[in-house]
Amino acid sequence: MSLPVTDTTAADTSPRLVDTLIIGSGFAGLGAAIKLTRAGKDFLVLERGNDVGGTWRDNTYPGAACDVPSNLYSYSFALNPGWTRSFSPQPEIQAYISSVADKYDVRRRTVFGCDVHSATWNTTTFRWDVQTTKGAFSAKILVSAVGALCEPSLPDIKGIDGFEGEIFHSSRWNHDADLTGKRVAVIGTGASAIQIVPAIAGKVSHLDVYQRTAPWILPRADREYTKAERFAFRYVPGFQRLSRAVQYLTRETQVIGLAKAPIFMKPLELAARAQIRRQIADPVLRRKVTPTFKIGCKRMLISNAYYPALTRPNVDLVTSGISEVTSDGVVTKDGTTRKVDAIVVATGFHVTDSPTFAGIFGKDGRSLAEVFDHSGMQGYKAPPLPDSRTCSSSSGPTPDSATPRWST
Ligand SMILES: Cc1cc2nc3c(=O)[nH]c(=O)nc-3n(C[C@H](O)[C@H](O)[C@H](O)COP(=O)(O)OP(=O)(O)OC[C@H]3O[C@@H](n4cnc5c(N)ncnc54)[C@H](O)[C@@H]3O)c2cc1C
């Protein structure tokens, strides 16, 4: 089907008119774009990056992979018989997203390198006035698909900006920095860190892993698909969909334990504890990695390789808390200084407080950031803000102020 495509190259300064604008071209933005394409609607995707993929374009760190099985972690309308493993690595996922974008011709309707600065509901025209690095747009409908794990959250640690070695966030991996034979610190023990640590432990000379909270880590049922499975995914009607349905149901049943009856989480806790006992002999390290909160209260992680990496002679798990970073090392609250050549900041993302929210203004001038700040992540029929607020000066979050050199 051939649809009129909004001209995004016009040189005049009047806003480009389009029915629907989608901000972001990760899984969500792409999915919305494909639905609108199929419905024959007029739309544009505004993407600040230079490619589709979002999370999977940005997170290229060693060991990056999904932790939801690939047959499930894909579009229902675009199953991928080509997955090589049950949990695919980042390059495969990015290639998949890219191929879906090509198949549905979404790139043609995407403005890349287009950072959305603000979007304001215009009460005269009943349209969104959108300001971007690629000019102004005007749309009837605005879809935010800016992602929850998109804006790196940078730790506010004394002295960190003065560190003179290599330093970068996990989602902005500096592939020019060769960590081979270097002393490296990884700050954080979340989902990204537990993939990075085993991937680099064997090549660095020494690795300090800084842990604030020990996560619950379950075994990872990751394996290569056999030739027979891959054949069946491709040629046996319904086989891959059945595999996906089984994965879906298995995961959904966890909701009973997570939301209703915690007793059902006990088997998972036992499996996680058994993995600690199986993979770690040292009682001190076992204690350090054993979480002190109920399983399910924070995201559960999966890995078979993280604990073995921690037991390596060149790896230390540091739990005494960071007090300061100096030009060449990390100082912990117990006064110990550990010299390092590089720091990997794996401290997660601004999940509920994306800086983009500070620039999206509704009919009464309230920014999404203000509304979310006041009443949680509820935009539709959100309760009014207290009178003392000022409409125009958004109190929303800013990207960790005075953006340091290592965040981009
Ligand atoms: C390392 C990692 C592994 C993960 N693994 C899993 C997993 O296994 N299973 C799972 O369910 N989830 C996983 N997630 C969560 C993952 O983020 C989501 O599953 C999904 O990819 C999010 O898609 P999205 O389209 O909502 O957002 P994103 O993929 O984050 O895309 C958002 C897009 O919006 C763009 N954007 C943002 N702000 C602006 C702006 N102001 N102007 C223009 N463009 C903008 C960004 O550049 C980006 O391309 C993982 C996340 C990470 C970081």
Side-chain angles (χ1 to χ4, degrees):
M1 178 171 41
S2 171
L3 292 164
V5 177
T6 310
D7 180 8
T8 61
T9 56
D12 69 72
T13 51
S14 52
R16 296 165 195 170
L17 297 181
V18 61
D19 281 353
T20 303
L21 277 177
I22 300 167
I23 314 175
S25 66
F27 265 122
L30 206 53
I34 292 166
K35 283 280 180 194
L36 290 175
T37 302
R38 285 175 158 183
K41 303 290 184 189
D42 177 44
F43 73 90
L44 269 183
V45 181
L46 307 181
E47 169 54 60
R48 70 182 177 194
N50 291 321
D51 199 358
V52 297
T55 291
W56 299 101
R57 176 201 62 218
D58 292 343
N59 286 268
T60 59
Y61 59 75
C66 57
D67 51 20
V68 166
S70 292
N71 276 340
L72 186 56
Y73 195 51
S74 36
Y75 292 113
S76 58
F77 57 83
L79 297 189
N80 176 19
W83 295 125
T84 60
R85 310 188 63 84
S86 48
F87 291 87
S88 302
Q90 175 270 337
E92 240 180 80
I93 304 171
Q94 177 60 9
Y96 163 74
I97 298 176
S98 196
S99 72
V100 174
D102 288 340
K103 181 174 173 189
Y104 291 92
D105 201 13
V106 177
R107 287 176 208 277
R108 198 167 57 97
R109 292 158 161 261
T110 303
V111 187
F112 289 106
C114 178
D115 200 341
V116 174
H117 289 162
S118 72
T120 307
W121 179 249
N122 185 323
T123 50
T124 310
T125 59
F126 295 105
R127 297 178 68 93
W128 287 96
D129 295 335
V130 179
Q131 301 299 329
T132 80
T133 47
K134 291 264 169 112
F137 295 80
S138 165
K140 289 185 203 159
I141 300 165
L142 183 70
V143 178
S144 166
V146 297
L149 307 185
C150 183
E151 304 285 349
S153 171
L154 309 176
D156 186 16
I157 300 172
K158 185 178 160 201
I160 197 162
D161 290 343
F163 181 69
E164 287 174 2
E166 288 292 347
I167 180 166
F168 46 84
H169 188 271
S170 55
S171 67
R172 303 289 185 270
W173 194 270
N174 178 0
H175 290 276
D176 293 334
D178 184 6
L179 300 183
T180 311
K182 299 273 170 56
R183 295 183 64 89
V184 178
V186 171
I187 302 180
T189 53
S192 299
I194 70 153
Q195 294 184 334
I196 292 167
V197 167
I200 65 171
K203 67 188 280 193
V204 302
S205 69
H206 187 85
L207 184 60
D208 294 318
V209 182
Y210 289 87
Q211 170 185 287
R212 189 167 61 181
T213 311
W216 283 106
I217 303 179
L218 293 161
R220 182 180 174 89
D222 184 24
R223 64 178 179 83
E224 239 178 79
Y225 281 128
T226 61
K227 275 193 181 149
E229 283 170 308
R230 294 179 66 182
F231 179 87
F233 288 152
R234 193 172 295 277
Y235 298 112
V236 178
F239 182 75
Q240 191 168 29
R241 205 157 282 285
L242 178 67
S243 153
R244 179 183 165 98
V246 170
Q247 283 161 353
Y248 176 80
L249 285 174
T250 312
R251 296 181 69 88
E252 287 302 292
T253 51
Q254 281 183 14
V255 174
I256 302 169
L258 288 168
K260 298 282 178 204
I263 187 72
F264 288 111
M265 298 305 284
K266 205 66 192 168
L268 292 184
E269 182 185 325
L270 293 176
R273 286 187 188 279
Q275 171 152 272
I276 294 174
R277 279 197 305 278
R278 208 171 44 248
Q279 296 188 327
I280 299 177
D282 173 11
V284 177
L285 185 56
R286 275 186 184 173
R287 224 177 3 261
K288 281 183 175 178
V289 299
T290 303
T292 52
F293 60 92
K294 265 209 171 110
I295 193 164
C297 290
K298 271 183 83 170
R299 180 170 165 196
M300 293 175 284
L301 308 182
I302 54 170
S303 175
N304 302 331
Y306 178 63
Y307 292 144
L310 293 185
T311 65
R312 294 176 60 98
N314 68 330
V315 178
D316 284 331
L317 181 68
V318 185
T319 55
S320 36
I322 299 174
S323 64
E324 189 183 346
V325 172
T326 62
S327 61
D328 62 353
V330 179
V331 187
T332 42
K333 288 180 180 154
D334 59 5
T336 310
T337 300
R338 293 174 178 83
K339 299 260 186 211
V340 281
D341 306 304
I343 299 178
V344 175
V345 179
T347 46
F349 300 88
H350 285 284
V351 177
T352 57
D353 57 348
S354 164
T356 302
F357 299 157
I360 300 182
F361 298 94
K363 64 179 189 303
D364 48 9
R366 298 185 298 172
S367 74
L368 259 191
E370 282 177 291
V371 175
F372 288 173
D373 198 31
H374 178 246
S375 46
M377 291 193 85
Q378 181 187 345
Y380 182 59
K381 292 189 175 172
L385 294 177
D387 285 345
S388 57
R389 72 166 182 85
T390 45
C391 277
S392 52
S393 65
S394 164
S395 64
T398 51
D400 306 80
S401 54
T403 310
R405 69 187 159 90
W406 45 278
S407 69
T408 49

